[in-house]
Amino acid sequence: MKDLTINPATARDLPPAFSARHLIDGDWVAGAQTFERRSPSHGVVASRSALGTEAETEAAIAAARRAFDAGIWSRISARERAAILLKVADLIEANVERIAVQETLESGKPISQSRGEVGGAADLWRYAAALARTSHGDSHNALGDDMLGVVVKDPIGVVSIITPWNFPFWILSQKLPFALAAGCTVVVKPSEMTPSSTVMLGELLIEAGLPAGVCNIVLGYGQPVGSLMSAHKDVDMVTFTGSTAVGKRITQAASGTLKKVALELGGKNPQVIMPDADLENAADAVTFGIYFNVGQCCNSSSRIIVHADIAEAFVTRVVALSRQVRFGDPLDDSTQVGAIVTPEHTARIDAYVKDAIKAGARIELGGEPLPVAGLGTQFYQPTVVTNVTPDMAIAREEVFGPVLTVLTFRTLDEAIALTNDSDYGLSAGIWSNDIHTCLEFARRAHAGTVWTNTWMDGFPELAFGGVKQSGQGREIGKYGFDEFLEVKSLVMRVGRDSRSPWVTTSA
Ligand code: NAD
């Protein structure tokens, strides 16, 4: 479409294909076979990776189990663990550019967003280091004169970490430093589409001095690697971020050993726009909320719920802003909307839009893929869809692309009912200048995070996660850290037992 703001291909030397290997017990393992990841934007082979088999997955789990049981990480002091996590944070900051370029080539996301993701992740490592040193249990000193109770926290054990392609470095950093801070050992499997940044992080872990076997990485696909990591008897917990469908399969696989499962899944996140809101700010946040990471974001605000009185003017404003969003070469510093991850996913996004049109929806902007000069065809125009009803698939399912759907309402009760009319419950937001409206919405919205007059702000201190089919358990913050700990109660007698014996002896 000619009235979009398009960034054509920039002339730039691309790095050679990254060679990614498994990390098992401190050794880099090439594997008998490899798989390639082709850049969705630049068409080049971005990486060649070892293709994980059952044997390599077994070896990685065995290494993590041995390392945990030997206590080389789980039983050292939190001060020593924190020191290594802090070194990793420094190394991440020193390597942002290399990792970010690779992540953009593999995922298609804009380079500025890759830099933000990788650089920002260092803070998660620092916060996890702080938690390692400040975590403690409870003591109970009023159980009676001869009793003392102490509740201690132990690392849960060997943790499988399975991650998606949309924020490979950030999501790994929402899990790994917290698991390590708790004293766990891990096996990590990144998405087959974005393996490299996890391997680059593995290099930094070794440089920081993490002992062999504490963090193992196996590259490859859900079958056999991910499913074995979910079912294996020597794994104590699986933490997964990805689609709801795969999350359900992981829960089934884990049920054989009743291991703990933490899930961060999909979303269909609404922003409610009240007429008294700062509409300029709200329109900008809606634009950011749908196009950030090319809309391939679990927290994408893919449905907006706008008061009927302002809907037309608000949509006009959002469409005008959408035309100015910079769309095109992800390696251009100014690009805001890059490439879609695969051709199949581009077709899936388009099918949602075409089905909505058939069902009576109206396209205000976009609505089609758009090749970018000098790059490939895996680009989808910023798209705004109105005349949507709540029963349409585009209003209920995760499209995972730069496609905004607009619903309208008249009363706050109606807006809250629409918000909660979803199988998902990851995040929700409201824009209003009335604190009472904001608080009522915040209390009644079924979501793990509620934003008022902002969108997608997050902090390492605040727990993140979803309700309903958006997941179970929490990540980051103190609550996220606690997921990697088991609680153990110590019941101790102090002094001699003054009670009558249980068995009365006759003599
Ligand atoms: P996906 O579910 O297809 O894959 C995620 C990971 O699971 C990959 O590493 C994949 O190889 C692996 N996998 C596939 N089948 C498996 C199996 N049977 N057993 C074990 N592992 C298996 O998800 P994706 O397409 O990579 O990512 C997009 C999805 O992730 C979206 O639904 C998005 O909403 C969700 N997501 C959620 C959050 C969150 O925090 N809630 C964050 C980012 C992405």
Side-chain angles (χ1 to χ4, degrees):
M1 185 181 264
K2 59 182 176 308
D3 56 357
L4 291 178
T5 308
I6 295 179
N7 283 345
T10 48
R12 179 177 171 142
D13 290 337
L14 301 178
F18 182 73
S19 196
R21 291 172 294 170
H22 312 299
L23 176 60
I24 301 174
D25 211 5
D27 292 327
W28 292 107
V29 178
Q33 283 182 293
T34 58
F35 64 100
E36 285 181 352
R37 172 61 177 157
R38 201 165 276 279
S39 169
S41 50
H42 289 74
V44 297
V45 175
S47 57
R48 257 182 219 99
S49 304
L51 179 66
T53 62
E54 282 195 12
E56 281 138 354
T57 313
E58 287 280 0
I61 293 170
R65 186 78 259 168
R66 272 195 310 276
F68 186 83
D69 293 345
I72 54 168
W73 185 253
S74 55
R75 295 204 297 271
I76 64 172
S77 71
R79 181 178 60 80
E80 290 166 279
R81 290 202 289 261
I84 291 188
L85 300 187
L86 292 171
K87 268 191 216 156
V88 176
D90 292 344
L91 288 169
I92 289 171
E93 279 175 344
N95 285 275
V96 169
E97 193 59 19
R98 173 172 175 255
I99 302 172
V101 168
Q102 188 64 24
E103 188 145 310
T104 282
L105 280 175
E106 285 184 350
S107 69
K109 71 171 68 186
I111 185 70
S112 62
Q113 293 168 23
S114 292
R115 287 185 189 123
E117 177 186 341
V118 176
D123 198 33
L124 292 168
W125 286 80
R126 293 203 175 101
Y127 185 67
L131 284 174
R133 298 201 66 176
T134 51
S135 172
H136 56 80
D138 303 311
S139 61
H140 294 263
N141 198 29
L143 303 176
D145 206 29
D146 57 351
M147 279 288 160
L148 177 64
V150 177
V151 178
V152 298
K153 294 180 182 179
D154 283 335
I156 200 164
V158 174
V159 178
S160 286
I161 297 179
I162 303 174
T163 57
W165 50 263
N166 63 340
F167 294 96
F169 200 87
W170 180 267
I171 288 170
L172 181 55
S173 297
Q174 289 200 151
K175 299 173 188 289
L176 180 57
F178 295 87
L180 293 177
C184 297
T185 60
V186 304
V187 179
V188 180
K189 190 197 92 62
S191 166
E192 58 277 17
M193 286 183 260
T194 52
S196 300
S197 62
T198 297
V199 173
M200 289 173 169
L201 180 62
E203 293 168 358
L204 304 184
L205 296 177
I206 292 173
E207 195 178 337
L210 192 74
V214 173
C215 177
N216 305 275
I217 299 170
V218 185
L219 308 173
Y221 292 82
Q223 298 294 351
V225 182
S227 64
L228 187 53
M229 286 168 64
S230 309
H232 204 286
K233 67 175 177 32
D234 287 339
V235 171
D236 301 293
M237 173 180 176
V238 188
T239 171
F240 168 77
T241 299
S243 60
T244 296
V246 173
K248 289 177 184 174
R249 261 177 258 150
I250 285 176
T251 304
Q252 277 165 0
S255 69
T257 54
L258 288 182
K259 59 174 61 63
K260 182 171 180 178
V261 177
L263 302 171
E264 296 291 339
L265 310 174
K268 189 73 190 173
N269 314 297
Q271 294 200 61
V272 171
I273 320 293
M274 302 299 288
D276 67 341
D278 178 335
L279 296 176
E280 294 274 302
N281 270 343
D284 187 65
V286 163
T287 314
F288 162 67
I290 188 60
Y291 302 131
F292 179 67
N293 214 52
V294 205
Q296 302 168 126
C297 184
C298 58
N299 265 330
S300 171
S301 63
S302 51
R303 28 178 207 143
I304 57 165
I305 303 173
V306 194
H307 194 281
D309 287 351
I310 56 160
E312 199 180 327
F314 190 77
V315 169
T316 303
R317 173 91 191 135
V318 170
V319 167
L321 290 177
S322 303
R323 287 200 167 99
Q324 286 168 45
V325 165
R326 293 189 163 273
F327 170 87
D329 185 354
L331 283 174
D332 183 323
D333 283 351
S334 70
T335 293
Q336 293 168 294
V337 179
I340 302 295
V341 70
T342 57
E344 297 75 33
H345 191 48
T346 313
R348 191 169 169 263
I349 295 169
D350 199 42
Y352 271 110
V353 174
K354 298 292 146 53
D355 286 351
I357 295 170
K358 270 190 227 142
R362 195 168 53 236
I363 303 301
E364 306 288 343
L365 180 75
E368 288 186 323
L370 181 71
V372 171
L375 299 171
T377 54
Q378 274 171 242
F379 291 83
Y380 204 87
Q381 295 179 45
T383 295
V384 178
V385 188
T386 57
N387 222 24
V388 171
T389 52
D391 56 313
M392 290 180 189
I394 205 165
R396 307 196 72 78
E397 295 171 21
E398 195 181 39
V399 176
F400 229 54
V403 177
L404 180 69
T405 58
V406 183
L407 296 163
T408 57
F409 72 95
R410 286 232 159 257
T411 65
L412 182 61
D413 277 347
E414 235 184 286
I416 293 170
L418 283 169
T419 294
N420 292 340
D421 177 23
S422 174
D423 291 338
Y424 293 114
L426 190 59
S427 55
I430 187 161
W431 291 82
S432 168
N433 274 340
D434 183 335
I435 181 74
H436 303 291
T437 304
C438 290
L439 288 178
E440 180 169 357
F441 177 84
R443 294 173 92 163
R444 291 174 58 193
H446 301 158
T449 299
V450 176
W451 284 292
T452 69
N453 295 313
T454 185
W455 188 258
M456 239 189 300
D457 280 315
F459 299 90
E461 290 85 347
L462 299 184
F464 176 67
V467 301
K468 299 197 274 186
Q469 293 192 34
S470 287
Q472 59 194 38
R474 289 294 177 267
E475 283 193 347
I476 64 175
K478 183 182 166 310
Y479 293 98
F481 174 63
D482 281 348
E483 297 274 348
F484 296 107
L485 295 164
E486 283 286 13
V487 167
K488 185 194 283 171
S489 295
L490 313 185
V491 182
M492 297 176 279
R493 179 168 305 288
V494 179
R496 294 175 67 85
D497 193 346
S498 56
R499 293 175 300 189
S500 323
W502 189 56
V503 180
T504 315
T505 48
S506 45

